[in-house]
Amino acid sequence: MSATPEESILKLGRLRLLLALDALLMEGSVSRAAERMGIGTPAMSRLLGQIREIYGDPIFVRSSRRLIPTPFAESLRQRLRALAAEAEALLQTRDLSREKPDIDPSTWSSPPLIDAAPLTTRPGIRLEGEPLPEDFARKLAAIEKAEDPRKRLAKHVATTSVGIGQSRPLTIDEAEDAFSVILDGRADPVQVGALLSVLHYRGETAAELAGMVRAGRKHIGVPNRSVPAIDLDWPAYVSPKSRRFPWFLQAALLVARAGYRVLLHGGDGGDGTRGMLISAADAVGIPVCTSSVQAADAIAKHGIAYLPIAAMSSQLHRLLSLYGLLETRSSVNSLMPILNPFGASASIMGVVRPAYRELHRDAGALLGSRNLTVIGTSRDAAEATPFRSSNLVRLVNGKDDDLFLPAIAEPKVLPLVGMTGLEYWQAHWTGTVRDERAAKIINATAAVALLTLSGGDAAQYDKCLARAGELWMARRK
């Protein structure tokens, strides 16, 4: 039975949506994708809305510089590029005057390059003899798993940075291979800087971030002896320049006293000095460990440990230290919050940039995380700010689940009198000093951690907050 005119129009419309999605994936911008397709920006925005409705997926998350595809959109990239390339090829006019009769037909019998990395092209007139994207794809595909790790890494650098219209994000396996070369110390320094700069400037995808994490976990490994099951991973990569009180450490200690096993990991000062977090952890009895084995033992005994990044991996420590050389963040800063080196069953993290909160959740989903909470913060550590409304970006039993928390009234800030910052911070834990504002931050942070551990929904938050208050009142018993 032939299709009705209405069905034919619908099919043509869907084909247009697929070509529009291909253009969006290539350009990373609604306006540039509209220009590519020869339509207006509002029309392209409407097409993107229809695509999202059909697939039931956001398709893109917005960063400060471009649209970043979701993992689902990335999974479509190769098939869409193949479809669009075939459509363009079918519509190209055959120029008989340029055909050469002396070409051996056998040279055209090689298999198609659909399995090669999907590359994009910009429309325009090419010079005679100018290499096509397919030529570049053949070059990269020929490298494959080269013996020389620098050649493998060069392939990944070229894939991400060859230029507009030809570069593309790395797949999860490619990102894992690239960072494995870097973490194993087999990369050229120029390659390291090039890859980190390109990824950070463009904005990492969830697949790239997940691949980096897989490489990081393999690089760190696990302690040689039996590791206790870790309940909660709590990354704390605070800038050495930060002068804010780390109240989240006291919240983590409350969670440990509730019977959960908590691993804190973060920096150590960054300049050879004793960092603020290490001094604060010592002040309230959180064991500071110098190896993964020692951290495993401390958690088995005390339920909590702080593990500096230098004790986990000197290579990751050096990569993070590049901030002082480049004066900008890199993809390694995006990697650390979701590293979860001991494979804890739940994670809580603070992420500064809004677009990266959903990115970290999506990466967590790709890595098989079940319960995860991302808190929007002004520094890279999970600490609630209950005095302003906030949205928790979560995974609950492997499914997306956002939770909106309304703001509460903010108590007055007490001035420091006759104490250093560390003395005041420690005195608040012991009860010598009472700071209502600090107590509310600690209780709200502990409540979010308890909610993450329980996999509870929004209705359970108040119960977790009440439980945190009980733990706070009983901390000195």
Side-chain angles (χ1 to χ4, degrees):
M1 183 177 178
S2 60
T4 65
E6 292 79 8
E7 290 174 335
S8 299
I9 293 173
L10 181 61
K11 290 179 180 179
L12 289 173
R14 287 185 173 178
L15 179 59
R16 189 183 188 210
L17 291 178
L18 294 177
L19 295 176
L21 179 52
D22 174 68
L24 287 163
L25 286 168
M26 285 190 291
E27 301 292 349
S29 163
V30 173
S31 59
R32 291 199 300 270
E35 181 181 354
R36 183 184 184 86
M37 291 194 66
I39 61 177
T41 300
M44 179 59 75
S45 296
R46 288 193 294 271
L47 291 177
L48 177 56
Q50 295 174 34
I51 294 167
R52 286 170 166 161
E53 184 177 353
I54 288 174
Y55 286 116
D57 184 87
I59 303 299
F60 296 98
V61 294
R62 188 173 296 279
S63 72
S64 59
R65 297 183 180 91
R66 59 177 290 148
L67 296 176
I68 298 176
T70 64
F72 174 75
E74 280 294 340
S75 70
L76 299 178
R77 182 188 291 270
Q78 184 166 326
R79 295 170 64 189
L80 289 169
R81 185 83 293 266
L83 173 66
E86 182 66 14
E88 292 170 3
L90 288 171
L91 292 174
Q92 285 180 351
T93 304
R94 187 182 181 189
D95 188 354
L96 296 177
S97 65
R98 296 175 63 89
E99 293 187 4
K100 299 180 180 181
D102 58 345
I103 293 179
D104 181 4
S106 64
T107 62
W108 299 89
S109 61
S110 59
L113 289 176
I114 293 178
D115 292 334
L119 296 173
T120 61
T121 62
R122 281 189 175 274
I125 300 174
R126 293 187 177 87
L127 299 175
E128 183 176 357
E130 180 182 351
L132 296 173
E134 289 80 2
D135 300 323
F136 184 68
R138 288 189 184 92
K139 175 184 175 182
L140 295 184
I143 297 175
E144 291 300 329
K145 296 291 184 180
E147 291 289 335
D148 186 348
R150 289 178 297 181
K151 285 189 175 293
R152 296 207 325 264
L153 186 55
K155 170 185 175 181
H156 302 313
V157 173
T159 298
T160 60
S161 59
V162 69
I164 296 175
Q166 290 185 322
S167 60
R168 62 164 178 82
L170 299 175
T171 66
I172 188 169
D173 291 332
E174 289 171 337
E176 179 181 1
D177 184 52
F179 267 77
S180 293
V181 173
I182 292 174
L183 293 176
D184 290 345
R186 297 180 292 169
D188 185 275
V190 174
Q191 293 177 313
V192 175
L195 185 62
L196 293 181
S197 297
V198 169
L199 291 181
H200 175 65
Y201 180 79
R202 185 248 294 156
E204 304 89 345
T205 66
E208 287 171 333
L209 187 54
M212 291 158 50
V213 170
R214 290 198 326 200
R217 290 176 180 175
K218 289 181 180 178
H219 170 71
I220 292 172
V222 295
N224 294 328
R225 66 186 69 180
S226 176
V227 178
I230 307 299
D231 298 309
L232 183 64
D233 183 73
W234 201 315
Y237 292 86
V238 178
S239 168
K241 300 178 182 179
S242 175
R243 293 296 178 265
R244 291 179 55 190
F245 289 123
W247 299 119
F248 65 89
L249 288 180
Q250 297 188 16
L253 195 52
L254 292 183
V255 174
R257 293 193 174 188
Y260 296 101
R261 291 173 170 173
V262 181
L263 174 67
L264 292 150
H265 53 94
D268 61 354
D271 57 358
T273 62
R274 185 179 179 84
M276 176 183 66
L277 294 187
I278 292 179
S279 297
D282 266 346
V284 293
I286 298 175
V288 177
C289 305
T290 57
S291 71
S292 296
V293 171
Q294 192 179 33
D297 291 343
I299 290 173
K301 184 177 180 179
H302 304 285
I304 190 169
Y306 183 88
L307 185 62
I309 180 60
M312 280 194 291
S313 165
S314 59
Q315 189 75 339
L316 280 171
H317 186 216
R318 290 192 203 91
L319 288 169
L320 281 173
S321 300
L322 289 177
Y323 182 90
L325 183 65
L326 304 175
E327 281 302 324
T328 185
R329 296 165 61 92
S330 74
S331 297
V332 184
N333 296 93
S334 301
L335 155 69
M336 300 313 297
I338 202 168
L339 182 60
N340 191 3
F342 281 18
S345 56
S347 301
I348 180 173
M349 65 192 72
V351 175
V352 176
R353 290 181 287 180
Y356 273 61
R357 293 164 197 165
E358 291 186 357
L359 174 70
H360 279 74
R361 176 175 63 185
D362 292 342
L366 289 175
L367 291 163
S369 299
R370 300 290 297 167
N371 293 303
L372 176 152
T373 298
V374 182
I375 301 177
T377 64
S378 59
R379 57 181 178 175
D380 292 326
E383 182 175 283
T385 309
F387 316 117
R388 68 182 184 202
S389 59
S390 59
N391 188 58
L392 303 181
V393 178
R394 309 171 67 211
L395 280 176
V396 179
N397 295 320
K399 296 182 180 179
D400 293 356
D401 182 87
D402 291 354
L403 173 59
F404 176 79
L405 297 178
I408 64 173
E410 183 174 5
K412 292 182 179 179
V413 179
L414 298 178
L416 292 177
V417 179
M419 290 184 179
T420 66
L422 179 59
E423 289 171 343
Y424 183 88
W425 187 86
Q426 184 180 18
H428 183 261
W429 174 258
T430 60
T432 307
V433 169
R434 295 187 63 183
D435 186 331
E436 185 182 355
R437 182 179 184 276
K440 289 186 179 297
I441 292 174
I442 293 167
N443 289 349
T445 303
V448 173
L450 293 171
L451 184 69
T452 304
L453 285 160
S454 66
D457 56 19
Q460 300 299 313
Y461 177 75
D462 289 339
K463 293 181 179 179
C464 292
L465 186 60
R467 176 59 176 151
E470 294 170 358
L471 292 167
W472 176 252
M473 296 304 295
R475 71 190 184 283
R476 288 175 289 145
K477 294 180 180 179

